[in-house]
Structure formats: structure tokens, C-alpha cells
């Protein structure tokens, strides 16, 4: 029973925590700011971004001399939306509100990275489905050759969606898989290639070497590949997601994030903290296990849902 209560508590929404933090208070003072800091941290926003948000609110309080707690909600929304917008600006990634691909880059090559269990394969399957549905020709590359299940699972998704999967089986060279997938895509005049990779964090040097090699080998065939390096993170794992982002951004140039399992958590704060801290835009969010449960990230919708 106490475990249930614990889970219940961890799932408490940002909005209700915020409500409790300001109850009985009409003005934002140091005490409210302390409470707010705790609410942000326990919502997995991360220390760095929490400090930044608190500082911005302090500045507003200092400037306007008075800030009513009834306005805190609106101001926080503004600040969080501004943080997310800043990331898009800095990375020059246009906010995408659908699954369209840039017409000039064919095939568009997406390399997908992330540790096991975060929902990498599922995200690839969902992405393939979205592109396929829009009439794009899709090729998948089973580059996570470290786990037998990963290749099989990707093949299952390929069958389900109706798109080819290039695979060489288990324990084969992932860069050869990537090369063949890109080659096949060029031959087929495919629009998009999505390449799975193995994410083994306990062998950091290998991770970097492997990802670098995959890139180098596919670049022999298509010099501008990959156009996108998509890091998949599990949004319900809090601090672990930050650690993974640190490791993967060290190992390779991550250009976009997919944050999964946001259906199972009220702690979507990871989305805010990670995109701000690493200056990488969140492009997709996973909101369930089904094929249609992948959405392109919409800042305003996200901020609204965070405050529900
Ligand atoms: P991988 O090891 O990273 O390739 O992870 P998988 O794609 O196999 O996913 C691991 C588990 O997470 C599976 O049971 C998926 O159905 C589940 N999963 C993936 N994405 C989501 C999501 O957005 N929401 C939920 N609730 N489950 C997800």
C-alpha cells in the first residue's frame, strides 16, 4: 500500500504541486520561490534549468516589485515556453508540427541512438508508420546487432508497417548494415532511411567508436548522411535520462530528441530540462505503446499539458 502511495505521489501533476506550494500565499516571496524550486526539481526539470527559471522569476519580482501567486502559473508558462523556443532558435531547427521531410534531402537519413529499453525500436516503428502513411518510401536498417531481439523486433515493425528492413543478423558489423540500408534506399529512390543502433553505455569508448564508424561508413555512400541523429530517452526515468543525454552527446552529435513514455508519468519536466541543458530540440514524444502513439512535439501543447 505504501508503494502505491509512493507511486501516486510521484505521479502527482506539476500543476497540483504548484498549487500546494502557493496555498495561502498571495505574493511570490522567497518562501514561495523555495517551494517552486522544489516543485521544479521533483518534476525532473533538472537543477540547471530549475535555477535558470527561478532566477528569471526573481528578476521579474525585483523589476515589478510585486508578483501575485495568482500570476505565477501564467509567468511560468511564459518562461518555460521561452526556454523551449530558445533551444529551437539556437539549433536552427524549424519547429516541425508534422511528419513531413525536407524535399531536398533524399534519402533523408536518420540515425537513432539510445540505451536499451527506452523505446528506441518502438519509436522507429512508429516513425516508419507515420512516414509510410504520408506516402513516403521508407527503409529501415537493423543496426542494433548486439541484441538478437532488436533485429527481430525491427523486422516485426517492418512487416507491420509494410516497409523493407535491411539486416545482417546478430553480431554483425552495424556499419555494414547502415551502409547497405543507405545504398538500398538510394537504389529504391526511398525518401527516408531510419537506422537503429546499439546503445551500450557501459562501454563508453566503444559507443563513440561504433557511432563514429557507422557514420563514416554510410558517408562513403552518401556524404551528407546522417541528416538527423535522434536520441531516444525515456521521459519517466528522470535523472537517468539526463545521464544518458550527457553520454550520448559526448559520443556523437545529437541533433534531435524523442522522449518516450510521457503517458506514464506526470514528470514531463525532463522534456524542459534536457532540451534546455543540452540545447537540442525535442522533435517527438511517445505517449503510448501503440503505433499511432508518437506525436511531433508542439511547445504550446506541451506547456499546456504540463500545467494540467
Ligand atoms: P528499446 O530497447 O529501446 O528498443 O525499447 P523498445 O522499443 O523495445 O520499448 C521498450 C518498452 O517500452 C516496450 O514495452 C514498448 O512497448 C514500451 N514503450 C515504448 N515507447 C513507449 C511510450 O511512449 N509509452 C509507453 N507507455 N510505452 C512505450
Amino acid at each position: 500500500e505504501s508503494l502505491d502511495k509512493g507511486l501516486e505521489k510521484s505521479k502527482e501533476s506539476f500543476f497540483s504541486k504548484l498549487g500546494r506550494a502557493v496555498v495561502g500565499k498571495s505574493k511570490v516571496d522567497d518562501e514561495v520561490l523555495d517551494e517552486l524550486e522544489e516543485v521544479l526539481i521533483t518534476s525532473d526539470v533538472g537543477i540547471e534549468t530549475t535555477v535558470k527559471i527561478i532566477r528569471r522569476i526573481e528578476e521579474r519580482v525585483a523589476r515589478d516589485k510585486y508578483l501575485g501567486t495568482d500570476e505565477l502559473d501564467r509567468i511560468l508558462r511564459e518562461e518555460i515556453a521561452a526556454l523551449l523556443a530558445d533551444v529551437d532558435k539556437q539549433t536552427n531547427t524549424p519547429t516541425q508540427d508534422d511528419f513531413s521531410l525536407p524535399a531536398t534531402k533524399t534519402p533523408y537519413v536518420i540515425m537513432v541512438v539510445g540505451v536499451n529499453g527506452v523505446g528506441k525500436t518502438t519509436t522507429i516503428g512508429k516513425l516508419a508508420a507515420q512516414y509510410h502513411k504520408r506516402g513516403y518510401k521508407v527503409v529501415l536498417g537493423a543496426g542494433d546487432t548486439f541484441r538478437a531481439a532488436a533485429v527481430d523486433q525491427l523486422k516485426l515493425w517492418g512487416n507491420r508497417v509494410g516497409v523493407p528492413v535491411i539486416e545482417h543478423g546478430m553480431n554483425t558489423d552495424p556499419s555494414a548494415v547502415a551502409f547497405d540500408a543507405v545504398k538500398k534506399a538510394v537504389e529504391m529512390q526511398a525518401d527516408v532511411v531510419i537506422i537503429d543502433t546499439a546503445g551500450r553505455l557501459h562501454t563508453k569508448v566503444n559507443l563513440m567508436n561504433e557511432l563514429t564508424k557507422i557514420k563514416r561508413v554510410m558517408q562513403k555512400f552518401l556524404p551528407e548522411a546522417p541528416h538527423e541523429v535522434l536520441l531516444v530517452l525515456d521521459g519517466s526515468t528522470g535523472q537517468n535520462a539526463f545521464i544518458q543525454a550527457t553520454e550520448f552527446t559526448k559520443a556523437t552529435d545529437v541533433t534531435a530528441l524523442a522522449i518516450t513514455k510521457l503517458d506514464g508519468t506526470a514528470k514531463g519536466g525532463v522534456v524542459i530540462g534536457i532540451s534546455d541543458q543540452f540545447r537540442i530540440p525535442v522533435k517527438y514524444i511517445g505517449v503510448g505503446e501503440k503505433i499511432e502513439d508518437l506525436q511531433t512535439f508542439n511547445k504550446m501543447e506541451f506547456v499546456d499539458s504540463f500545467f494540467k
Side-chain angles (χ1 to χ4, degrees):
E1 198 209 39
S2 63
L3 179 65
D4 268 1
K5 267 192 196 138
L7 291 174
E8 202 58 32
K9 198 166 177 208
S10 76
K11 281 194 172 188
E12 191 190 6
S13 76
F14 177 76
F15 188 65
S16 58
K17 282 189 207 163
L18 187 62
R20 271 197 297 117
V22 300
V23 74
K25 293 251 176 190
S26 58
K27 124 181 215 257
V28 176
D29 54 15
D30 286 350
E31 210 175 303
V32 169
L33 285 171
D34 279 351
E35 294 275 351
L36 175 61
E37 188 173 271
E38 196 177 321
V39 170
L40 288 165
I41 285 169
T42 57
S43 304
D44 288 338
V45 171
I47 308 273
E48 205 176 302
T49 304
T50 294
V51 168
K52 195 186 273 185
I53 293 172
I54 295 290
R55 200 172 299 142
R56 289 197 195 192
I57 297 196
E58 275 170 347
E59 281 164 14
R60 289 176 86 139
V61 174
R63 193 190 56 207
D64 301 340
K65 303 286 188 291
Y66 180 89
L67 180 63
T69 49
D70 54 338
E71 283 194 276
L72 194 54
D73 178 303
R74 178 180 59 82
I75 297 217
L76 266 175
R77 281 177 200 241
E78 282 174 20
E79 294 297 350
I80 290 170
L83 279 183
L84 294 169
D86 272 357
V87 175
D88 275 357
K89 235 183 277 157
Q90 288 204 2
T91 53
N92 272 325
T93 304
T95 308
Q96 254 187 305
D97 54 9
D98 66 357
F99 288 91
S100 56
L101 290 163
T104 50
K105 299 169 182 167
T106 46
Y108 189 74
V109 181
I110 306 172
M111 182 166 113
V112 184
V113 301
V115 303
N116 297 337
V118 293
K120 197 155 44 91
T121 316
T122 308
T123 301
I124 294 172
K126 290 170 173 174
L127 261 181
Q130 292 291 346
Y131 287 133
H132 182 70
K133 199 164 89 182
R134 283 163 180 77
Y136 290 120
K137 257 194 205 174
V138 185
V139 174
L140 301 181
D144 183 353
T145 59
F146 190 67
R147 287 184 305 150
V151 176
D152 290 343
Q153 221 184 323
L154 201 70
K155 281 187 348 203
L156 272 178
W157 276 105
N159 281 336
R160 195 183 305 174
V161 178
V163 300
V165 179
I166 305 306
E167 56 110 356
H168 294 178
M170 202 192 153
N171 289 326
T172 56
D173 183 351
S175 58
V177 175
F179 182 90
D180 280 355
V182 173
K183 184 163 172 273
K184 171 85 173 173
V186 170
E187 283 164 9
M188 281 176 56
Q189 296 186 303
D191 300 287
V192 57
V193 195
I194 312 174
I195 296 165
D196 194 8
T197 62
R200 283 167 287 153
L201 268 193
H202 50 282
T203 51
K204 277 166 207 161
V205 180
N206 286 347
L207 176 71
M208 187 185 300
N209 289 346
E210 184 163 300
L211 296 177
T212 306
K213 186 176 174 198
I214 293 173
K215 276 187 174 180
R216 194 175 64 234
V217 171
M218 70 172 127
Q219 282 164 355
K220 284 187 192 159
F221 203 82
L222 198 68
E224 70 270 27
H227 300 95
E228 185 169 314
V229 177
L230 182 68
L231 171 62
V232 182
L233 298 169
D234 179 339
S236 67
T237 59
Q239 216 42 42
N240 277 335
F242 282 79
I243 293 166
Q244 289 162 21
T246 305
E247 295 305 330
F248 276 92
T249 50
K250 270 192 233 157
T252 190
D253 289 322
V254 176
T255 64
L257 302 173
I259 303 196
T260 63
K261 308 191 194 180
L262 289 179
D263 50 310
T265 175
K267 290 186 158 195
V270 162
V271 170
I272 301 163
I274 289 197
S275 54
D276 175 49
Q277 192 171 324
F278 295 91
R279 318 308 299 173
I280 304 168
V282 177
K283 200 163 175 187
Y284 308 105
I285 55 171
V287 292
E289 299 193 74
K290 292 199 296 294
I291 200 161
E292 67 274 16
D293 293 333
L294 185 76
Q295 301 173 355
T296 52
F297 183 66
N298 178 308
K299 273 190 279 286
M300 292 330 287
E301 265 177 30
F302 172 79
V303 174
D304 281 344
S305 73
F306 196 57
F307 281 86
K308 264 178 204 147

